[in-house]
Amino acid sequence: MSEIYEIGLGNNDDSIRKKADSDFVSFWDEQAKNLAWFSPWEKTLDWRPPFARWFVGGTINASYNALDIHQNTKSQKSAILWEGENGDSRNLTYGEMFSEVQKFANVLKSLGVQKGDRVTLYLPMVPELPIAMLACARIGAIHNVIFSGFSATSIRDRVSDSHSKVVVTADGGYRRGKVVPLKDVIDEAISDLDFVEHVVVLERTGNKISMSSKDKPWSGLVNDASETCAAEKLFSDHPLYILYTSGTTGKPKGVLHGTGGYLTHLHSTFKWAFDIKDSDIFFCTADIGWVAGHSYVAYAPLLHGATQVMYEGAPDFPDTSRMWDILQKYKVTIFYTTPTALRMFMKFGDDIPNSFDLSSLRLLGTVGEPINPEVWKWYYKTIGKEKCPIIDTWWQTETGGMLISPLLGLNTIPLKPGSGTLPIPGVNIDVADEHGDNVPANTKGYLVIRNPWPGMLLTLWGDDEKYKTAYWSKYENCYYPGDYALKDDDDYIWLLGRADDVLKVAGHRIGTAELESCMVSHPDVAESAACGIPDDVKGEVIIAFVVLKQGVLTDSSVLEKELSNKIRTDIGAIATPKQVCFVSKLPKTRSGKIMRRLLKAIGSDEKIGDVSALEDGASVTEVQQVYGELQKSIRENSK
Ligand code: ATP
Ligand code: MG
């Protein structure tokens, strides 16, 4: 039995769910009216499986909805409270954002960018990144943001695939006190891409760079640009952006999002999940290079005229207290982060957050991976001081916005650590077996989405076939996210890990999240990852990789025994790992997600495949070494 936390925000509105249950199409039709449209749509949903078009014929603009609509009432209100890694700060009002975005939109036009053209943005976490995105949106150009930690090869692939004629970058960005030479990386990435006509270079660090005839300084262009640029009236299904997925399971996919449906999804979920109020200070720690940063940094807060904090650098720089320092300094009321960041903060110990005043917080959230119940409880107690509800939000780059989450802006719902609770209104999410039939309560299966929703991707950029096979081929007319899950007796959904990573031992299926959460609940364990490797007798055996908390001195053989015993009692003997390897870090994507497929490849002695998304190659080397030594000692002991 999981623990239940009866904590909400005092809201109690059942009407939204009731409306959605009766007819999801007219429900979303109503929600879309909360946005500003230039002209109404003729058809709410055109569903030609697997392609959905929302609000067909209606015209709208994302930049207009983020900025223009606030100018009469909120031009003096802070839109972005920006904190540089080196302690710099900037306060950009809605009025200032409006003028900067219009100027940059005019810059793009002066460089020949037209409606439908792609613009690659490779920028650090500075306000000019959302400014450039909104400028693209304003003129109907499609932005293609690339996380500023990616290498030249990864950028080359993405610039080529999107065929961007303009690239926007910076002379550098700050990360852990050092300058990341973004412009040099771009020079290498596009050296033979002749279709790239211009490179706009933002002056962020002032470090030395070489400028060619294609390169133009941001400041010069913006100084010459006019301050007015009317927002283009775009059809609702006009593409807003391309964004490549995190690459946790393989080669990243170029997800293409539209405008009217996507904005409707964001506007609704931001209000329902975060209960956003005019007085809130919202802080989402996601880099804009990932979908969480697109949806809930660059767009959703602005649609609501909210004030948000944006942070440039590493969460543990110059020291492990940085995050709590920012929360205290800006009196953040809503904090949205990832389980991986929380596990890191937890590893550093409670004294650090305990020495800050976090009393402004009223709501906490997570996204990106399953949150281990132990980590949820730590977040609740140590950060939220048992007075802030937590929303565990499940969604994907492909879904555009949240699809499963407690919606405390609507209702108080009992929270269970580790469950995202219920789907948002207007989507039909089930857990199905191999044939697509719903499984009974408390039975594991695959998450499926049975109807289109407004934030749904239009397709994969330039690859409708891959779009069909990746998401719509496992089941007929039913979206397959690739996640393993179960529904409990209260219909709450529990995400158990990736379907590809499921551990199959002697006929039993175990989600990686179940096993990893069990290990993380051991007081010495900070992080863990489990994977299955082939075994002649059992078909597959489990190996586990474990990172310990700071300062743990317990002997590893004692720990291994304790972990095995814990797994035996909490899950069952079947889930006991054959081997436990202690490492100092796990291989993760640049967005912080564990790459279990690399562990599996190492354990199975196979090629490790695409590593473009890997954050730190040293983690793989360490795993190979520790795992290799373990095998050697096992062989020697068995002689
Ligand atoms: P790729 O598709 O390239 O492998 P990715 O799936 O990591 O990369 P994202 O779109 O950033 O790319 O991540 C979506 C995935 O993250 C989900 O499919 C799910 O596996 C996981 N996820 C996100 N939020 C949650 C959550 N709250 N609980 C459990 N898992 C989550
Ligand atoms: Mg994915």
PDB file of all heavy atoms in Angstrom, residues 245-253 290-291 366-371 392-398 481-483 495 497-498 589 591 593, ligand 1:
ATOM      1  N   THR A 245      14.114  14.884 -29.865  1.00  0.00           N
ATOM      2  CA  THR A 245      13.893  14.279 -28.540  1.00  0.00           C
ATOM      3  C   THR A 245      15.232  14.098 -27.827  1.00  0.00           C
ATOM      4  O   THR A 245      16.293  14.250 -28.429  1.00  0.00           O
ATOM      5  CB  THR A 245      13.200  12.906 -28.669  1.00  0.00           C
ATOM      6  OG1 THR A 245      14.017  12.074 -29.514  1.00  0.00           O
ATOM      7  CG2 THR A 245      11.823  13.004 -29.257  1.00  0.00           C
ATOM      8  N   SER A 246      15.158  13.710 -26.554  1.00  0.00           N
ATOM      9  CA  SER A 246      16.371  13.642 -25.725  1.00  0.00           C
ATOM     10  C   SER A 246      17.380  12.602 -26.181  1.00  0.00           C
ATOM     11  O   SER A 246      18.547  12.669 -25.833  1.00  0.00           O
ATOM     12  CB  SER A 246      16.015  13.306 -24.285  1.00  0.00           C
ATOM     13  OG  SER A 246      15.104  14.200 -23.777  1.00  0.00           O
ATOM     14  N   GLY A 247      16.915  11.571 -26.876  1.00  0.00           N
ATOM     15  CA  GLY A 247      17.838  10.531 -27.313  1.00  0.00           C
ATOM     16  C   GLY A 247      18.138   9.491 -26.243  1.00  0.00           C
ATOM     17  O   GLY A 247      19.193   8.866 -26.252  1.00  0.00           O
ATOM     18  N   THR A 248      17.202   9.288 -25.316  1.00  0.00           N
ATOM     19  CA  THR A 248      17.424   8.300 -24.260  1.00  0.00           C
ATOM     20  C   THR A 248      17.442   6.892 -24.844  1.00  0.00           C
ATOM     21  O   THR A 248      18.256   6.055 -24.463  1.00  0.00           O
ATOM     22  CB  THR A 248      16.316   8.412 -23.189  1.00  0.00           C
ATOM     23  OG1 THR A 248      16.193   9.788 -22.825  1.00  0.00           O
ATOM     24  CG2 THR A 248      16.645   7.582 -21.962  1.00  0.00           C
ATOM     25  N   THR A 249      16.536   6.634 -25.775  1.00  0.00           N
ATOM     26  CA  THR A 249      16.419   5.275 -26.292  1.00  0.00           C
ATOM     27  C   THR A 249      17.169   5.056 -27.605  1.00  0.00           C
ATOM     28  O   THR A 249      17.321   3.924 -28.037  1.00  0.00           O
ATOM     29  CB  THR A 249      14.935   4.909 -26.511  1.00  0.00           C
ATOM     30  OG1 THR A 249      14.306   5.993 -27.192  1.00  0.00           O
ATOM     31  CG2 THR A 249      14.222   4.684 -25.199  1.00  0.00           C
ATOM     32  N   GLY A 250      17.561   6.085 -28.283  1.00  0.00           N
ATOM     33  CA  GLY A 250      18.256   5.904 -29.557  1.00  0.00           C
ATOM     34  C   GLY A 250      18.485   7.238 -30.220  1.00  0.00           C
ATOM     35  O   GLY A 250      18.565   8.260 -29.560  1.00  0.00           O
ATOM     36  N   LYS A 251      18.550   7.213 -31.546  1.00  0.00           N
ATOM     37  CA  LYS A 251      18.803   8.445 -32.282  1.00  0.00           C
ATOM     38  C   LYS A 251      17.631   9.417 -32.080  1.00  0.00           C
ATOM     39  O   LYS A 251      16.474   9.021 -32.216  1.00  0.00           O
ATOM     40  CB  LYS A 251      18.922   8.075 -33.772  1.00  0.00           C
ATOM     41  CG  LYS A 251      19.590   9.098 -34.632  1.00  0.00           C
ATOM     42  CD  LYS A 251      19.740   8.488 -36.035  1.00  0.00           C
ATOM     43  CE  LYS A 251      20.347   9.387 -37.062  1.00  0.00           C
ATOM     44  NZ  LYS A 251      19.952  10.737 -37.134  1.00  0.00           N
ATOM     45  N   PRO A 252      17.912  10.684 -31.756  1.00  0.00           N
ATOM     46  CA  PRO A 252      16.812  11.625 -31.530  1.00  0.00           C
ATOM     47  C   PRO A 252      15.915  11.807 -32.760  1.00  0.00           C
ATOM     48  O   PRO A 252      16.373  11.722 -33.896  1.00  0.00           O
ATOM     49  CB  PRO A 252      17.546  12.931 -31.206  1.00  0.00           C
ATOM     50  CG  PRO A 252      18.883  12.513 -30.715  1.00  0.00           C
ATOM     51  CD  PRO A 252      19.231  11.281 -31.503  1.00  0.00           C
ATOM     52  N   LYS A 253      14.625  12.026 -32.486  1.00  0.00           N
ATOM     53  CA  LYS A 253      13.629  12.172 -33.553  1.00  0.00           C
ATOM     54  C   LYS A 253      13.202  13.645 -33.651  1.00  0.00           C
ATOM     55  O   LYS A 253      12.992  14.285 -32.632  1.00  0.00           O
ATOM     56  CB  LYS A 253      12.407  11.293 -33.225  1.00  0.00           C
ATOM     57  CG  LYS A 253      12.765   9.824 -33.037  1.00  0.00           C
ATOM     58  CD  LYS A 253      11.607   8.982 -32.497  1.00  0.00           C
ATOM     59  CE  LYS A 253      11.439   8.973 -31.004  1.00  0.00           C
ATOM     60  NZ  LYS A 253      12.442   8.315 -30.186  1.00  0.00           N
ATOM     61  N   TRP A 290      15.315  21.642 -24.179  1.00  0.00           N
ATOM     62  CA  TRP A 290      14.438  20.461 -24.083  1.00  0.00           C
ATOM     63  C   TRP A 290      12.999  20.898 -24.122  1.00  0.00           C
ATOM     64  O   TRP A 290      12.700  22.075 -23.927  1.00  0.00           O
ATOM     65  CB  TRP A 290      14.714  19.681 -22.781  1.00  0.00           C
ATOM     66  CG  TRP A 290      16.166  19.457 -22.591  1.00  0.00           C
ATOM     67  CD1 TRP A 290      16.943  19.931 -21.575  1.00  0.00           C
ATOM     68  CD2 TRP A 290      17.051  18.734 -23.468  1.00  0.00           C
ATOM     69  NE1 TRP A 290      18.238  19.545 -21.765  1.00  0.00           N
ATOM     70  CE2 TRP A 290      18.342  18.811 -22.912  1.00  0.00           C
ATOM     71  CE3 TRP A 290      16.869  18.026 -24.653  1.00  0.00           C
ATOM     72  CZ2 TRP A 290      19.442  18.215 -23.512  1.00  0.00           C
ATOM     73  CZ3 TRP A 290      17.966  17.437 -25.258  1.00  0.00           C
ATOM     74  CH2 TRP A 290      19.231  17.529 -24.672  1.00  0.00           C
ATOM     75  N   VAL A 291      12.097  19.955 -24.287  1.00  0.00           N
ATOM     76  CA  VAL A 291      10.699  20.330 -24.477  1.00  0.00           C
ATOM     77  C   VAL A 291      10.117  21.018 -23.243  1.00  0.00           C
ATOM     78  O   VAL A 291       9.300  21.927 -23.371  1.00  0.00           O
ATOM     79  CB  VAL A 291       9.829  19.127 -24.910  1.00  0.00           C
ATOM     80  CG1 VAL A 291       9.576  18.169 -23.756  1.00  0.00           C
ATOM     81  CG2 VAL A 291       8.547  19.602 -25.539  1.00  0.00           C
ATOM     82  N   THR A 366       7.579  17.907 -10.783  1.00  0.00           N
ATOM     83  CA  THR A 366       8.690  17.188 -11.420  1.00  0.00           C
ATOM     84  C   THR A 366       8.268  16.700 -12.807  1.00  0.00           C
ATOM     85  O   THR A 366       7.094  16.529 -13.094  1.00  0.00           O
ATOM     86  CB  THR A 366       9.171  15.937 -10.635  1.00  0.00           C
ATOM     87  OG1 THR A 366       8.175  14.924 -10.736  1.00  0.00           O
ATOM     88  CG2 THR A 366       9.458  16.235  -9.205  1.00  0.00           C
ATOM     89  N   VAL A 367       9.270  16.467 -13.631  1.00  0.00           N
ATOM     90  CA  VAL A 367       9.058  15.933 -14.976  1.00  0.00           C
ATOM     91  C   VAL A 367      10.328  15.265 -15.476  1.00  0.00           C
ATOM     92  O   VAL A 367      11.423  15.613 -15.032  1.00  0.00           O
ATOM     93  CB  VAL A 367       8.672  17.052 -15.976  1.00  0.00           C
ATOM     94  CG1 VAL A 367       9.763  18.092 -16.126  1.00  0.00           C
ATOM     95  CG2 VAL A 367       8.321  16.464 -17.360  1.00  0.00           C
ATOM     96  N   GLY A 368      10.186  14.305 -16.388  1.00  0.00           N
ATOM     97  CA  GLY A 368      11.341  13.781 -17.110  1.00  0.00           C
ATOM     98  C   GLY A 368      11.616  12.316 -16.914  1.00  0.00           C
ATOM     99  O   GLY A 368      12.058  11.644 -17.831  1.00  0.00           O
ATOM    100  N   GLU A 369      11.374  11.838 -15.708  1.00  0.00           N
ATOM    101  CA  GLU A 369      11.624  10.429 -15.392  1.00  0.00           C
ATOM    102  C   GLU A 369      10.635  10.054 -14.289  1.00  0.00           C
ATOM    103  O   GLU A 369      10.093  10.946 -13.634  1.00  0.00           O
ATOM    104  CB  GLU A 369      13.031  10.258 -14.818  1.00  0.00           C
ATOM    105  CG  GLU A 369      14.157  10.337 -15.812  1.00  0.00           C
ATOM    106  CD  GLU A 369      15.479  10.045 -15.103  1.00  0.00           C
ATOM    107  OE1 GLU A 369      15.879  10.850 -14.246  1.00  0.00           O
ATOM    108  OE2 GLU A 369      16.081   9.020 -15.391  1.00  0.00           O
ATOM    109  N   PRO A 370      10.476   8.759 -14.032  1.00  0.00           N
ATOM    110  CA  PRO A 370       9.674   8.398 -12.863  1.00  0.00           C
ATOM    111  C   PRO A 370      10.366   8.953 -11.612  1.00  0.00           C
ATOM    112  O   PRO A 370      11.590   8.927 -11.528  1.00  0.00           O
ATOM    113  CB  PRO A 370       9.713   6.868 -12.850  1.00  0.00           C
ATOM    114  CG  PRO A 370      10.129   6.450 -14.227  1.00  0.00           C
ATOM    115  CD  PRO A 370      10.988   7.568 -14.741  1.00  0.00           C
ATOM    116  N   ILE A 371       9.587   9.495 -10.693  1.00  0.00           N
ATOM    117  CA  ILE A 371      10.221   9.966  -9.447  1.00  0.00           C
ATOM    118  C   ILE A 371      10.135   8.851  -8.415  1.00  0.00           C
ATOM    119  O   ILE A 371       9.059   8.284  -8.177  1.00  0.00           O
ATOM    120  CB  ILE A 371       9.619  11.304  -8.942  1.00  0.00           C
ATOM    121  CG1 ILE A 371      10.337  11.765  -7.662  1.00  0.00           C
ATOM    122  CG2 ILE A 371       8.109  11.262  -8.733  1.00  0.00           C
ATOM    123  CD1 ILE A 371      10.148  13.225  -7.302  1.00  0.00           C
ATOM    124  N   ASP A 392       3.561  15.399 -10.105  1.00  0.00           N
ATOM    125  CA  ASP A 392       4.455  14.550 -10.900  1.00  0.00           C
ATOM    126  C   ASP A 392       3.818  14.511 -12.277  1.00  0.00           C
ATOM    127  O   ASP A 392       2.738  13.953 -12.459  1.00  0.00           O
ATOM    128  CB  ASP A 392       4.505  13.165 -10.242  1.00  0.00           C
ATOM    129  CG  ASP A 392       5.237  12.127 -11.077  1.00  0.00           C
ATOM    130  OD1 ASP A 392       5.739  12.458 -12.168  1.00  0.00           O
ATOM    131  OD2 ASP A 392       5.280  10.962 -10.635  1.00  0.00           O
ATOM    132  N   THR A 393       4.467  15.155 -13.252  1.00  0.00           N
ATOM    133  CA  THR A 393       3.835  15.365 -14.555  1.00  0.00           C
ATOM    134  C   THR A 393       4.461  14.455 -15.605  1.00  0.00           C
ATOM    135  O   THR A 393       5.655  14.534 -15.862  1.00  0.00           O
ATOM    136  CB  THR A 393       3.984  16.835 -14.982  1.00  0.00           C
ATOM    137  OG1 THR A 393       5.367  17.134 -15.206  1.00  0.00           O
ATOM    138  CG2 THR A 393       3.461  17.782 -13.928  1.00  0.00           C
ATOM    139  N   TRP A 394       3.646  13.593 -16.202  1.00  0.00           N
ATOM    140  CA  TRP A 394       4.154  12.717 -17.270  1.00  0.00           C
ATOM    141  C   TRP A 394       3.821  13.323 -18.622  1.00  0.00           C
ATOM    142  O   TRP A 394       2.667  13.665 -18.887  1.00  0.00           O
ATOM    143  CB  TRP A 394       3.546  11.309 -17.189  1.00  0.00           C
ATOM    144  CG  TRP A 394       4.031  10.472 -18.342  1.00  0.00           C
ATOM    145  CD1 TRP A 394       5.155   9.695 -18.362  1.00  0.00           C
ATOM    146  CD2 TRP A 394       3.445  10.363 -19.654  1.00  0.00           C
ATOM    147  NE1 TRP A 394       5.309   9.121 -19.607  1.00  0.00           N
ATOM    148  CE2 TRP A 394       4.283   9.519 -20.422  1.00  0.00           C
ATOM    149  CE3 TRP A 394       2.311  10.914 -20.245  1.00  0.00           C
ATOM    150  CZ2 TRP A 394       4.008   9.194 -21.746  1.00  0.00           C
ATOM    151  CZ3 TRP A 394       2.034  10.605 -21.578  1.00  0.00           C
ATOM    152  CH2 TRP A 394       2.890   9.739 -22.311  1.00  0.00           C
ATOM    153  N   TRP A 395       4.806  13.418 -19.455  1.00  0.00           N
ATOM    154  CA  TRP A 395       4.584  13.820 -20.849  1.00  0.00           C
ATOM    155  C   TRP A 395       5.861  13.612 -21.620  1.00  0.00           C
ATOM    156  O   TRP A 395       6.861  13.143 -21.074  1.00  0.00           O
ATOM    157  CB  TRP A 395       4.061  15.248 -20.946  1.00  0.00           C
ATOM    158  CG  TRP A 395       4.862  16.345 -20.294  1.00  0.00           C
ATOM    159  CD1 TRP A 395       5.092  16.530 -18.953  1.00  0.00           C
ATOM    160  CD2 TRP A 395       5.510  17.442 -20.951  1.00  0.00           C
ATOM    161  NE1 TRP A 395       5.832  17.667 -18.748  1.00  0.00           N
ATOM    162  CE2 TRP A 395       6.106  18.250 -19.944  1.00  0.00           C
ATOM    163  CE3 TRP A 395       5.632  17.833 -22.287  1.00  0.00           C
ATOM    164  CZ2 TRP A 395       6.819  19.405 -20.253  1.00  0.00           C
ATOM    165  CZ3 TRP A 395       6.331  18.993 -22.578  1.00  0.00           C
ATOM    166  CH2 TRP A 395       6.914  19.766 -21.563  1.00  0.00           C
ATOM    167  N   GLN A 396       5.829  13.918 -22.919  1.00  0.00           N
ATOM    168  CA  GLN A 396       6.965  13.676 -23.810  1.00  0.00           C
ATOM    169  C   GLN A 396       7.140  14.864 -24.747  1.00  0.00           C
ATOM    170  O   GLN A 396       6.198  15.649 -24.928  1.00  0.00           O
ATOM    171  CB  GLN A 396       6.700  12.469 -24.703  1.00  0.00           C
ATOM    172  CG  GLN A 396       6.242  11.228 -24.017  1.00  0.00           C
ATOM    173  CD  GLN A 396       6.013  10.101 -25.020  1.00  0.00           C
ATOM    174  OE1 GLN A 396       5.139  10.189 -25.874  1.00  0.00           O
ATOM    175  NE2 GLN A 396       6.802   9.048 -24.911  1.00  0.00           N
ATOM    176  N   THR A 397       8.281  14.911 -25.421  1.00  0.00           N
ATOM    177  CA  THR A 397       8.473  15.921 -26.465  1.00  0.00           C
ATOM    178  C   THR A 397       7.301  15.838 -27.446  1.00  0.00           C
ATOM    179  O   THR A 397       6.748  16.848 -27.879  1.00  0.00           O
ATOM    180  CB  THR A 397       9.798  15.653 -27.216  1.00  0.00           C
ATOM    181  OG1 THR A 397      10.839  15.471 -26.261  1.00  0.00           O
ATOM    182  CG2 THR A 397      10.157  16.811 -28.131  1.00  0.00           C
ATOM    183  N   GLU A 398       6.914  14.624 -27.762  1.00  0.00           N
ATOM    184  CA  GLU A 398       5.867  14.389 -28.755  1.00  0.00           C
ATOM    185  C   GLU A 398       4.497  14.875 -28.296  1.00  0.00           C
ATOM    186  O   GLU A 398       3.660  15.241 -29.116  1.00  0.00           O
ATOM    187  CB  GLU A 398       5.758  12.883 -29.047  1.00  0.00           C
ATOM    188  CG  GLU A 398       6.983  12.249 -29.694  1.00  0.00           C
ATOM    189  CD  GLU A 398       8.039  11.766 -28.681  1.00  0.00           C
ATOM    190  OE1 GLU A 398       8.022  12.216 -27.515  1.00  0.00           O
ATOM    191  OE2 GLU A 398       8.881  10.934 -29.067  1.00  0.00           O
ATOM    192  N   PRO A 481       3.304   5.525 -26.589  1.00  0.00           N
ATOM    193  CA  PRO A 481       4.411   6.364 -26.118  1.00  0.00           C
ATOM    194  C   PRO A 481       5.694   5.594 -25.835  1.00  0.00           C
ATOM    195  O   PRO A 481       6.754   6.186 -25.706  1.00  0.00           O
ATOM    196  CB  PRO A 481       3.886   6.966 -24.802  1.00  0.00           C
ATOM    197  CG  PRO A 481       2.445   6.588 -24.706  1.00  0.00           C
ATOM    198  CD  PRO A 481       2.238   5.391 -25.564  1.00  0.00           C
ATOM    199  N   GLY A 482       5.603   4.260 -25.688  1.00  0.00           N
ATOM    200  CA  GLY A 482       6.808   3.480 -25.389  1.00  0.00           C
ATOM    201  C   GLY A 482       7.138   3.411 -23.905  1.00  0.00           C
ATOM    202  O   GLY A 482       8.275   3.147 -23.537  1.00  0.00           O
ATOM    203  N   ASP A 483       6.134   3.639 -23.049  1.00  0.00           N
ATOM    204  CA  ASP A 483       6.366   3.567 -21.603  1.00  0.00           C
ATOM    205  C   ASP A 483       5.562   2.418 -20.989  1.00  0.00           C
ATOM    206  O   ASP A 483       4.473   2.074 -21.460  1.00  0.00           O
ATOM    207  CB  ASP A 483       5.986   4.889 -20.921  1.00  0.00           C
ATOM    208  CG  ASP A 483       7.069   5.949 -21.092  1.00  0.00           C
ATOM    209  OD1 ASP A 483       8.174   5.604 -21.548  1.00  0.00           O
ATOM    210  OD2 ASP A 483       6.810   7.121 -20.775  1.00  0.00           O
ATOM    211  N   LEU A 495       3.989   5.135 -13.665  1.00  0.00           N
ATOM    212  CA  LEU A 495       4.921   4.903 -14.762  1.00  0.00           C
ATOM    213  C   LEU A 495       6.056   4.033 -14.245  1.00  0.00           C
ATOM    214  O   LEU A 495       6.688   4.371 -13.244  1.00  0.00           O
ATOM    215  CB  LEU A 495       5.464   6.239 -15.271  1.00  0.00           C
ATOM    216  CG  LEU A 495       4.658   6.958 -16.364  1.00  0.00           C
ATOM    217  CD1 LEU A 495       4.448   6.039 -17.565  1.00  0.00           C
ATOM    218  CD2 LEU A 495       3.326   7.480 -15.883  1.00  0.00           C
ATOM    219  N   GLY A 497       8.751   2.857 -16.125  1.00  0.00           N
ATOM    220  CA  GLY A 497       9.997   2.896 -16.910  1.00  0.00           C
ATOM    221  C   GLY A 497       9.694   2.723 -18.385  1.00  0.00           C
ATOM    222  O   GLY A 497       8.530   2.626 -18.795  1.00  0.00           O
ATOM    223  N   ARG A 498      10.741   2.682 -19.178  1.00  0.00           N
ATOM    224  CA  ARG A 498      10.582   2.561 -20.627  1.00  0.00           C
ATOM    225  C   ARG A 498      10.222   1.127 -21.006  1.00  0.00           C
ATOM    226  O   ARG A 498      10.814   0.186 -20.460  1.00  0.00           O
ATOM    227  CB  ARG A 498      11.901   2.886 -21.322  1.00  0.00           C
ATOM    228  CG  ARG A 498      12.527   4.138 -20.809  1.00  0.00           C
ATOM    229  CD  ARG A 498      12.359   5.191 -21.800  1.00  0.00           C
ATOM    230  NE  ARG A 498      12.811   6.439 -21.215  1.00  0.00           N
ATOM    231  CZ  ARG A 498      12.832   7.568 -21.884  1.00  0.00           C
ATOM    232  NH1 ARG A 498      12.468   7.585 -23.141  1.00  0.00           N
ATOM    233  NH2 ARG A 498      13.211   8.672 -21.307  1.00  0.00           N
ATOM    234  N   THR A 589      21.763  11.177 -20.490  1.00  0.00           N
ATOM    235  CA  THR A 589      21.634  12.072 -21.644  1.00  0.00           C
ATOM    236  C   THR A 589      21.989  13.484 -21.172  1.00  0.00           C
ATOM    237  O   THR A 589      22.038  13.759 -19.977  1.00  0.00           O
ATOM    238  CB  THR A 589      20.185  12.121 -22.159  1.00  0.00           C
ATOM    239  OG1 THR A 589      19.354  12.570 -21.082  1.00  0.00           O
ATOM    240  CG2 THR A 589      19.710  10.778 -22.647  1.00  0.00           C
ATOM    241  N   SER A 591      20.072  15.758 -21.120  1.00  0.00           N
ATOM    242  CA  SER A 591      18.929  16.269 -20.363  1.00  0.00           C
ATOM    243  C   SER A 591      18.833  15.584 -18.998  1.00  0.00           C
ATOM    244  O   SER A 591      17.863  15.781 -18.277  1.00  0.00           O
ATOM    245  CB  SER A 591      17.642  16.055 -21.161  1.00  0.00           C
ATOM    246  OG  SER A 591      17.454  14.690 -21.463  1.00  0.00           O
ATOM    247  N   LYS A 593      18.801  12.201 -18.201  1.00  0.00           N
ATOM    248  CA  LYS A 593      18.100  10.917 -18.044  1.00  0.00           C
ATOM    249  C   LYS A 593      19.062   9.743 -18.162  1.00  0.00           C
ATOM    250  O   LYS A 593      19.977   9.762 -18.989  1.00  0.00           O
ATOM    251  CB  LYS A 593      17.034  10.783 -19.109  1.00  0.00           C
ATOM    252  CG  LYS A 593      16.033  11.899 -19.048  1.00  0.00           C
ATOM    253  CD  LYS A 593      15.018  11.715 -20.132  1.00  0.00           C
ATOM    254  CE  LYS A 593      14.092  12.911 -20.151  1.00  0.00           C
ATOM    255  NZ  LYS A 593      12.802  12.551 -20.689  1.00  0.00           N
TER     256      LYS A 593
HETATM  257  P1  ATP B   1      14.019   9.566 -26.925  1.00  0.00           P
HETATM  258  O1  ATP B   1      12.565   9.555 -27.300  1.00  0.00           O
HETATM  259  O2  ATP B   1      14.883  10.174 -27.974  1.00  0.00           O
HETATM  260  O3  ATP B   1      14.517   8.261 -26.388  1.00  0.00           O
HETATM  261  P2  ATP B   1      13.226  10.780 -24.409  1.00  0.00           P
HETATM  262  O4  ATP B   1      12.063   9.851 -24.478  1.00  0.00           O
HETATM  263  O5  ATP B   1      14.050  10.777 -23.154  1.00  0.00           O
HETATM  264  O6  ATP B   1      14.186  10.583 -25.676  1.00  0.00           O
HETATM  265  P3  ATP B   1      11.637  13.114 -23.878  1.00  0.00           P
HETATM  266  O7  ATP B   1      10.527  13.401 -24.793  1.00  0.00           O
HETATM  267  O8  ATP B   1      12.385  14.269 -23.305  1.00  0.00           O
HETATM  268  O9  ATP B   1      12.713  12.256 -24.653  1.00  0.00           O
HETATM  269  O10 ATP B   1      11.140  12.276 -22.651  1.00  0.00           O
HETATM  270  C1  ATP B   1       9.878  11.646 -22.566  1.00  0.00           C
HETATM  271  C2  ATP B   1       9.988  10.398 -21.718  1.00  0.00           C
HETATM  272  O11 ATP B   1      10.451  10.724 -20.389  1.00  0.00           O
HETATM  273  C3  ATP B   1       8.703   9.660 -21.482  1.00  0.00           C
HETATM  274  O12 ATP B   1       8.375   8.820 -22.555  1.00  0.00           O
HETATM  275  C4  ATP B   1       9.000   8.895 -20.201  1.00  0.00           C
HETATM  276  O13 ATP B   1       9.744   7.718 -20.473  1.00  0.00           O
HETATM  277  C5  ATP B   1       9.862   9.852 -19.423  1.00  0.00           C
HETATM  278  N1  ATP B   1       9.060  10.662 -18.482  1.00  0.00           N
HETATM  279  C6  ATP B   1       8.772  11.964 -18.587  1.00  0.00           C
HETATM  280  N2  ATP B   1       8.073  12.408 -17.516  1.00  0.00           N
HETATM  281  C7  ATP B   1       7.883  11.333 -16.722  1.00  0.00           C
HETATM  282  C8  ATP B   1       7.225  11.127 -15.461  1.00  0.00           C
HETATM  283  N3  ATP B   1       6.637  12.106 -14.803  1.00  0.00           N
HETATM  284  N4  ATP B   1       7.227   9.872 -14.961  1.00  0.00           N
HETATM  285  C9  ATP B   1       7.827   8.864 -15.621  1.00  0.00           C
HETATM  286  N5  ATP B   1       8.475   8.997 -16.779  1.00  0.00           N
HETATM  287  C10 ATP B   1       8.512  10.210 -17.332  1.00  0.00           C
END
